[in-house]
């Protein structure tokens, strides 16, 4: 029987039963790949840092503005939403596993698409995959919008448009997208977490130094027009669910996943509530959508915005590499009728994904409204609706009555945030864009 032609790919070499003795050089490559697979796994602290870099990002700078618009309702939501986020993040990953005949947990799914297909073979996979990718793309675009706003805050006298700064940012972060796994990305996330911590401390120190001007009486109780948009923004600043399947898969010890998730949400809630409330008191008479731009022009404002830009630059790769991994898992260069060299595919998918994030940023260059728009359009589905649906359908034989009740309440809450948020965000966007023109 004639020998088949084989690819040099490690996966093909490993799975081919006819190729009993690969050449020595290829055997060495296989061994090296196995070793690399082990070193690419992330310990608990690296997974925690990656998720902190995602959830404790620069979206925090919009929260004082949110409190100025919705008052006490926003503060309550800042405490309440992370509990929901932890629960839905936990059940989302639980739905990746089933029990075998021996009662052991076995991973049978790996992503949103497979979860959707398990729930509905016809449309579930496509809907879940679309929601996940759209949310990740829009979130990455949001970083570019924020970076443009921060850069203009540092250089207010330069005649440079937001679109120019967005393009510069997208170009600057491109080299970081050639990292191949989350273990390496964790070092960038660590820099981003340190940068946001320094920026937050800078704003807080300024605010506390001017505590004599604090007036808690300025906090609103409720504003029916602003509350839906604010709730959408708050839901978004705790959103990390589209990255969770890939992050959990990258962990050395997957049994530590809930510990990692719980610690992340605990730290995030403490930091977000403390920062947003104290900065609202400090800048209640002058709150910009990006709170650092409320600082007086000078050294402090420049330093704070510079560290926020560092946070953007080093948080962006985690999101975009997640997108790239999802695309590479779904599409291979070998599936095309014409041959695409692997190096061309490797570079091309990173460059094109990077600059595709520019398009939404250019179309919606308003930071707070962009957050609310993303959360209403895809964030609520990714954080509340889909995890609750997956849990109700895939784990229905294991659920107790209180699980059903809680999941249905989360489902209703997610639909409310999505529908009402889209209506009010759409109205605000229309007014803003109409006024701009």
């Amino acid at each position: 029987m004639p020998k088949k032609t084989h690819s040099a790919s490690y996966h093909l070499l490993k799975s081919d039963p006819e190729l009993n003795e690969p050449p020595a050089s290829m055997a060495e490559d296989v061994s090296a790949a196995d070793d690399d697979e082990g070193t690419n796994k992330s310990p608990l602290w690296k997974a925690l840092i990656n998720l902190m870099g995602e959830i404790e990002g620069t979206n925090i700078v919009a929260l004082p503005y949110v409190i100025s618009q919705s008052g006490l309702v926003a503060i309550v939501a800042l405490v309440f939403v992370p509990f929901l986020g932890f629960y839905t993040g936990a059940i989302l990953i639980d739905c990746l596993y089933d029990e075998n005949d021996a009662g052991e947990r076995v991973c049978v799914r790996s992503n949103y698409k497979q979860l959707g297909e398990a729930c509905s073979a016809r449309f579930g996979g496509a809907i879940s995959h679309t929601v996940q990718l759209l949310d990740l793309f829009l979130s990455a675009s949001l970083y570019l919008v924020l970076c443009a706003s921060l850069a203009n805050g540092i250089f207010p006298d330069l005649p440079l448009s937001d679109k120019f700064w967005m393009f510069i940012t997208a170009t600057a972060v491109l080299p970081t997208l050639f990292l191949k796994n989350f273990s390496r990305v964790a070092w960038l996330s660590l820099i981003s977490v340190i940068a946001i911590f320094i920026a937050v401390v800078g704003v807080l120190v300024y605010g506390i130094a001017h505590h004599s001007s604090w007036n808690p009486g300025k906090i609103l109780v409720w504003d029916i027009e602003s509350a839906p948009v604010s709730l959408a923004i708050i839901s978004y600043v705790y959103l990390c669910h589209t990255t969770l399947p890939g992050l959990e898969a990258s962990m050395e010890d997957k049994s530590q996943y809930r510990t990692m998730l719980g610690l992340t949400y605990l730290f995030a809630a403490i930091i977000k509530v403390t920062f947003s409330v104290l900065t609202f008191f400090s800048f209640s008479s002058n709150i910009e959508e990006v709170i650092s731009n409320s600082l007086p022009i000078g050294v402090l404002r420049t330093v704070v915005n510079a560290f926020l830009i560092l946070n953007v630059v080093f948080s962006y790769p985690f999101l975009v590499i997640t997108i790239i991994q999802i695309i590479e898992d779904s599409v291979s260069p070998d599936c095309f009728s014409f041959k695409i060299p692997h190096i061309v595919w490797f570079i091309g998918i990173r460059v094109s994904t990077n600059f595709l994030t520019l398009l939404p940023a250019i179309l919606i260059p308003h930071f707070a409204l962009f957050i609310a728009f993303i959360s209403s359009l895809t964030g609520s589905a990714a954080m509340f609706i889909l995890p609750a649906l997956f849990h109700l359908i895939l784990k229905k034989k294991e659920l107790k009555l209180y699980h059903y009740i809680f999941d249905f309440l989360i489902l209703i809450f997610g639909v409310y945030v999505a529908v009402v948020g889209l209506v009010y965000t759409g109205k605000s966007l229309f007014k803003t864009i109409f006024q701009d023109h």
Side-chain angles (χ1 to χ4, degrees):
M1 179 176 173
K3 192 176 287 285
K4 295 179 181 178
T5 302
H6 299 282
S7 165
S9 164
Y10 157 65
H11 297 288
L12 292 179
L13 284 171
K14 190 174 181 180
S15 62
D16 194 336
E18 296 185 37
L19 199 57
N20 296 321
E21 295 184 1
S25 61
M26 289 188 177
E28 290 171 3
D29 288 343
V30 171
S31 177
D34 283 333
D35 292 340
D36 192 49
E37 181 70 20
T39 59
N40 289 345
K41 293 296 183 180
S42 301
L44 175 63
W45 74 268
K46 282 190 175 181
L48 180 64
I49 287 295
N50 271 328
L51 195 58
M52 281 292 290
E54 161 68 1
I55 203 173
E56 199 61 87
T58 39
N59 47 47
I60 192 174
V61 299
L63 291 180
Y65 177 79
V66 170
I67 291 179
S68 73
Q69 299 297 302
S70 299
L72 291 176
V73 172
I75 297 174
V76 172
L78 280 169
V79 177
F80 174 67
V81 170
F83 287 100
L84 297 183
F86 169 78
Y87 175 76
T88 55
I91 63 174
L92 175 69
I93 298 304
D94 281 346
C95 290
L96 300 178
Y97 291 82
D98 282 341
E99 285 192 1
N100 60 17
D101 295 336
E104 299 169 331
R105 289 180 84 232
V106 179
C107 185
V108 294
R109 306 171 192 95
S110 62
N111 52 49
Y112 267 83
K113 183 179 181 181
Q114 291 177 0
L115 286 168
E117 288 171 343
C119 295
S120 173
R122 188 172 185 182
F123 299 115
I127 293 172
S128 301
H129 206 213
T130 301
V131 167
Q132 184 184 24
L133 279 175
L134 191 57
D135 182 76
L136 288 167
F137 264 108
L138 291 174
S139 297
S141 297
L142 179 66
Y143 281 125
L144 303 181
V145 174
L146 177 58
C147 201
S149 179
L150 293 169
N152 278 327
I154 296 176
F155 307 107
D157 297 326
L158 288 182
L160 301 176
S161 67
D162 285 352
K163 295 177 183 178
F164 175 83
W165 287 117
M166 292 174 196
F167 182 82
I168 291 296
T169 305
T171 304
V173 298
L174 180 58
T176 65
L177 305 185
F178 290 88
L179 295 174
K180 295 183 179 180
N181 58 71
F182 290 133
S183 181
R184 293 171 182 170
V185 174
W187 295 106
L188 301 183
S189 298
L190 179 60
I191 297 173
S192 75
V193 170
I194 293 171
I196 190 67
F197 177 76
I198 294 173
V200 164
V201 169
V203 176
L204 285 176
V205 167
Y206 177 87
I208 292 171
H210 294 77
H211 68 277
S212 59
S213 63
W214 290 6
N215 183 5
K218 291 186 177 180
I219 295 182
L220 298 173
V221 176
W222 172 265
D223 185 288
I224 194 169
E225 288 287 332
S226 301
V229 176
S230 297
L231 185 57
I233 293 174
I234 290 169
S235 297
Y236 177 80
V237 300
Y238 286 114
L239 171 65
C240 58
H241 294 58
T242 48
T243 65
L244 291 180
L247 187 62
E248 189 263 353
S250 75
M251 294 183 68
E252 283 179 352
D253 183 357
K254 294 178 176 58
S255 67
Q256 295 180 322
Y257 168 76
R258 287 200 176 195
T259 300
M260 180 272 298
L261 187 67
L263 288 173
T264 302
Y265 270 109
L266 177 62
F267 293 151
I270 291 171
I271 293 171
K272 290 179 190 297
V273 172
T274 303
F275 174 81
S276 56
V277 172
L278 293 185
T279 49
F280 168 79
F281 289 156
S282 304
F283 301 98
S284 56
S285 61
N286 175 36
I287 293 185
E288 300 284 342
E289 287 188 0
V290 178
I291 192 61
S292 60
N293 286 341
S294 296
L295 291 168
I297 295 176
V299 174
L300 180 60
R301 176 168 166 175
T302 300
V303 170
V304 168
N305 278 5
F307 276 103
L308 289 173
I309 288 174
L310 279 178
N311 175 267
V312 170
V313 169
F314 289 105
S315 297
Y316 180 87
F318 177 66
L319 277 179
V320 179
I321 289 173
T322 300
I323 297 171
I324 291 167
Q325 287 191 353
I326 293 170
I327 294 173
E328 289 180 334
D329 286 344
S330 305
V331 183
S332 166
D334 298 326
C335 70
F336 295 99
S337 58
F338 52 90
K339 182 173 178 57
I340 300 177
H342 282 271
I343 187 64
V344 173
W345 175 261
F346 180 80
I347 295 173
I349 198 71
R350 282 153 177 79
V351 173
S352 57
T353 301
N354 180 33
F355 285 100
L356 276 175
T357 61
L358 271 172
L359 298 180
I362 290 170
L363 291 173
I364 311 177
H366 301 282
F367 181 60
L369 287 178
F370 198 171
I371 293 179
F373 176 73
I374 298 170
S375 180
S376 303
L377 184 65
T378 60
S380 296
M383 187 175 185
F384 304 120
I385 299 171
L386 289 180
L389 280 176
F390 294 154
H391 202 225
L392 287 168
I393 295 172
L394 299 178
K395 300 293 182 180
K396 58 185 177 183
K397 296 180 180 179
E398 306 169 24
L399 300 184
K400 300 185 183 301
L401 178 60
Y402 66 84
H403 285 134
Y404 279 104
I405 294 172
F406 199 43
D407 287 351
F408 273 114
L409 289 175
I410 288 175
L411 193 60
I412 293 168
F413 179 75
V415 171
Y416 169 80
V417 172
V419 174
V420 179
L422 271 177
V423 171
Y424 281 91
T425 303
K427 288 171 61 177
S428 298
L429 278 173
F430 178 81
K431 290 178 182 178
T432 304
I433 292 172
F434 180 78
Q435 289 173 356
D436 288 348
H437 291 82

